[in-house]
Amino acid sequence: MAICLSFWAGFFTLSNAQQSEVGIVWEVPGDTYSAQIELGAFKTLGVTHIEIPYPVSEEIKPLLRDSSFSFLIRSPQKFLTVSGLQQQRSSLRTTITELGREYSSYANVSGIGVVTHSQTDHPDFLPSVNSILSTAVQEIDTPFYFVQNQNWYWLSSPENPFAVYFDDSEYQRSDLKDFSDFMSENGQDKIQIINSNWLLEATNDFPEIETALKEFTASGNWMLPHPNTKETTLLKANWMVLIFIFLWASLTLQIRFLPYVRSVIIRYFFAHRFFVDDILGYRERAVAGGILQMITHAIFGGLVFFMASHLLFSDLGIEAIFHYFPWLSLTVQNYYSFFVFGFGITLVFQLLALIWLHLPAKNLTHFSQTLNLYSGIFYIDYIIVTIMLTLFTAGAGHLFTLGFAVAFLLIWYLSFYITAFDIAQNNRDNKALYLLLTVVLYSLIIVTLLVVVLLFTDVISVFKLAAYL
């Protein structure tokens, strides 16, 4: 088997050294006629390698056997963490063994993809894959490969990729410059892989691509004239900026028409003791400002979650997160789901915190007292999120920008403790019991949840994988 792997790896290395090669990730049509038409188009364009997801329909298999293309068959195993790999040992071994046996008689199947976009940066991952597939390696002559981000690697030599992928599946004419740079920069030592639908749409829109591909496969030189397009500048409103302007306008109107809001802001941060005394003495009774600030804080939470997800995860990382936690995609599986999730989780936890803080407080007679004490600190959101949004839209350093997301979350977390101690301030008879039922119990629950997540779930590994992709 080792000799066979060396032969296949040598074949691709020799082939790439002699000429540049183009491959596609084929989004296989549902009917045989369309598949035949597309295969003919690929041949005309000079495509030599085609990757197909497993399993392949029975109608398409005869087209593969009779074709002159070199086929790569990729298994559905993707987004595996180290612990997830161990849990799916049997499934992975069975899938790859069945795949290898199914295509053992296909002379033009030149590779079997074992895993995709997984935690291959972990030192134990690839050795574990080799161990799991040790039996399959002995009976399957076709070499194994894995896909990581935009690169294809042989499992037997994971240091250098044998293929690189142009990561775009929805064609727009503006993509052509990036595509031309991709073809020019990757040289002749790797197979250049393109999404099939993107390539077909691009050649229909800009036929010069066909000539450029033929020249590339023949000589290794990439020459594509840039299309003459009249660029139009459209004023695109950033939806986050619009929301932010609305929130600032809302605060301005509150200060204008609810005069006590100004005094709440000033006294909470600069005369906190007197502010707490007024609330506990029920001398400050207004609730509209507190309710509006709770809603505003939830919207700010959505914005922070959205920006943080953009800074931490690529589109592929987002896909990995939704693969493990599909319930996060309350709307659609993209970054906007994080805004909706952030808004929802912030609002729900605020309401739970208010109820938790108010019920044991025997010294409070009105729920508005707890509301005003708890919501006051959230006026600082305007400063924190303003700075974060400015840095985010300006493309500032990720760590610096994320620091303000951490500050937002930290203040949100500490607001529970601050409010609990404020309420306990004049609760002399039941102060110890109140703090036990709030501060101590809250801390125990948070610590317990952290221990459970860190030690008994795969959450951290999933987010490490998503950040790596």
Side-chain angles (χ1 to χ4, degrees):
M1 181 61 195
I3 296 174
C4 181
L5 286 173
S6 300
F7 169 77
W8 278 106
F11 169 79
F12 274 93
T13 303
L14 178 61
S15 176
N16 290 337
Q18 291 176 342
Q19 65 176 7
S20 299
E21 295 181 298
V22 175
I24 59 149
V25 174
W26 192 18
E27 296 189 19
V28 185
D31 61 282
T32 305
Y33 177 75
S34 298
Q36 288 177 320
I37 295 296
E38 290 192 4
L39 288 174
F42 299 149
K43 189 171 184 178
T44 301
L45 292 170
V47 171
T48 52
H49 301 276
I50 297 179
E51 185 187 61
I52 302 178
Y54 180 80
V56 180
S57 67
E58 294 299 324
E59 293 80 7
I60 300 298
K61 284 183 181 179
L63 301 181
L64 273 60
R65 186 185 294 276
D66 300 333
S67 174
S68 60
F69 294 104
S70 172
F71 287 97
L72 302 167
I73 314 294
R74 194 197 300 191
S75 82
Q77 300 285 350
K78 63 180 181 179
F79 301 132
L80 295 178
T81 62
V82 173
S83 56
L85 177 64
Q86 299 307 319
Q87 295 169 7
Q88 298 191 42
R89 290 177 65 94
S90 177
S91 174
L92 177 62
R93 184 186 299 112
T94 301
T95 299
I96 300 305
T97 301
E98 290 177 353
L99 197 163
R101 289 172 180 170
E102 187 173 337
Y103 292 96
S104 60
S105 62
Y106 288 66
N108 56 353
V109 173
S110 53
I112 294 175
V114 291
V115 293
T116 301
H117 306 316
S118 298
Q119 205 173 7
T120 56
D121 61 320
H122 194 286
D124 296 333
F125 190 89
L126 290 179
S128 296
V129 172
N130 282 311
S131 173
I132 293 169
L133 300 179
S134 58
T135 305
V137 166
Q138 296 175 5
E139 60 177 280
I140 299 172
D141 291 335
T142 308
F144 298 147
Y145 70 94
F146 65 92
V147 178
Q148 191 63 38
N149 294 331
Q150 283 75 55
N151 294 308
W152 272 243
Y153 300 86
W154 294 119
L155 191 59
S156 59
S157 54
E159 298 81 16
N160 299 305
F162 69 86
V164 60
Y165 178 58
F166 178 64
D167 190 13
D168 199 337
S169 58
E170 296 181 3
Y171 172 74
Q172 295 178 345
R173 180 165 278 209
S174 58
D175 298 338
L176 292 178
K177 184 182 184 304
D178 291 337
F179 175 64
S180 191
D181 292 342
F182 167 83
M183 297 298 290
S184 301
E185 292 170 359
N186 285 289
Q188 302 181 26
D189 60 334
K190 302 180 187 71
I191 304 170
Q192 318 295 301
I193 297 183
I194 311 162
N195 177 272
S196 63
N197 287 349
W198 187 96
L199 181 59
L200 292 172
E201 290 181 29
T203 51
N204 286 334
D205 178 60
F206 196 60
E208 288 86 346
I209 290 178
E210 179 178 341
T211 304
L213 285 172
K214 289 179 178 178
E215 175 64 26
F216 179 76
T217 55
S219 66
N221 298 319
W222 178 256
M223 294 180 292
L224 179 69
H226 286 195
N228 293 322
T229 56
K230 187 181 286 186
E231 297 200 12
T232 58
T233 303
L234 298 176
L235 182 59
K236 274 191 168 181
N238 187 312
W239 65 274
M240 288 192 298
V241 174
L242 291 177
I243 290 178
F244 207 68
I245 292 173
F246 170 78
L247 294 178
W248 270 104
S250 171
L251 179 62
T252 303
L253 291 173
Q254 288 177 57
I255 293 174
R256 172 68 178 82
F257 295 103
L258 302 174
Y260 66 87
V261 170
R262 182 199 298 269
S263 68
V264 165
I265 297 172
I266 295 173
R267 288 187 298 141
Y268 186 92
F269 293 103
F270 301 104
H272 189 75
R273 178 64 181 268
F274 295 104
F275 172 77
V276 173
D277 287 342
D278 284 346
I279 297 295
L280 295 179
Y282 200 44
R283 290 183 290 275
E284 186 68 72
R285 306 182 182 189
V287 296
I291 293 173
L292 289 172
Q293 191 52 33
M294 296 286 282
I295 297 172
T296 300
H297 180 65
I299 296 173
F300 277 135
L303 291 173
V304 169
F305 271 73
F306 178 85
M307 289 186 283
S309 67
H310 252 289
L311 296 171
L312 290 170
F313 310 118
S314 65
D315 290 341
L316 200 56
I318 293 295
E319 186 181 345
I321 291 173
F322 289 134
H323 176 78
Y324 280 93
F325 311 118
W327 48 269
L328 281 175
S329 56
L330 301 174
T331 52
V332 290
Q333 292 193 358
N334 57 31
Y335 294 103
Y336 296 103
S337 288
F338 282 87
F339 172 79
V340 176
F341 176 76
F343 172 80
I345 202 73
T346 306
L347 192 61
V348 168
F349 273 84
Q350 283 182 142
L351 293 174
L352 291 176
L354 280 173
I355 295 170
W356 191 344
L357 288 164
H358 184 75
L359 289 181
K362 304 302 181 183
N363 58 324
L364 299 184
T365 56
H366 296 81
F367 191 74
S368 62
Q369 294 172 284
T370 309
L371 173 65
N372 287 325
L373 286 174
Y374 183 69
S375 63
I377 195 173
F378 296 140
Y379 284 103
I380 203 172
D381 292 348
Y382 285 93
I383 297 174
I384 293 174
V385 185
T386 295
I387 298 173
M388 184 178 180
L389 181 61
T390 303
L391 294 172
F392 179 79
T393 53
H398 284 21
L399 288 178
F400 187 49
T401 307
L402 286 170
F404 288 92
V406 173
F408 177 89
L409 295 175
L410 183 61
I411 289 172
W412 179 19
Y413 171 71
L414 292 177
S415 64
F416 186 94
Y417 292 100
I418 294 171
T419 307
F421 281 110
D422 285 344
I423 292 174
Q425 182 173 295
N426 71 344
N427 191 358
R428 295 181 179 84
D429 296 334
N430 299 297
K431 184 174 183 178
L433 178 60
Y434 179 78
L435 292 176
L436 176 66
L437 293 175
T438 54
V439 171
V440 176
L441 185 58
Y442 181 72
S443 301
L444 286 175
I445 290 176
I446 294 296
V447 170
T448 302
L449 287 174
L450 287 175
V451 170
V452 170
V453 168
L454 292 173
L455 299 182
F456 300 103
T457 72
D458 207 23
V459 171
I460 301 302
S461 295
V462 170
F463 280 94
K464 281 184 178 180
L465 169 62
Y468 172 64
L469 294 174

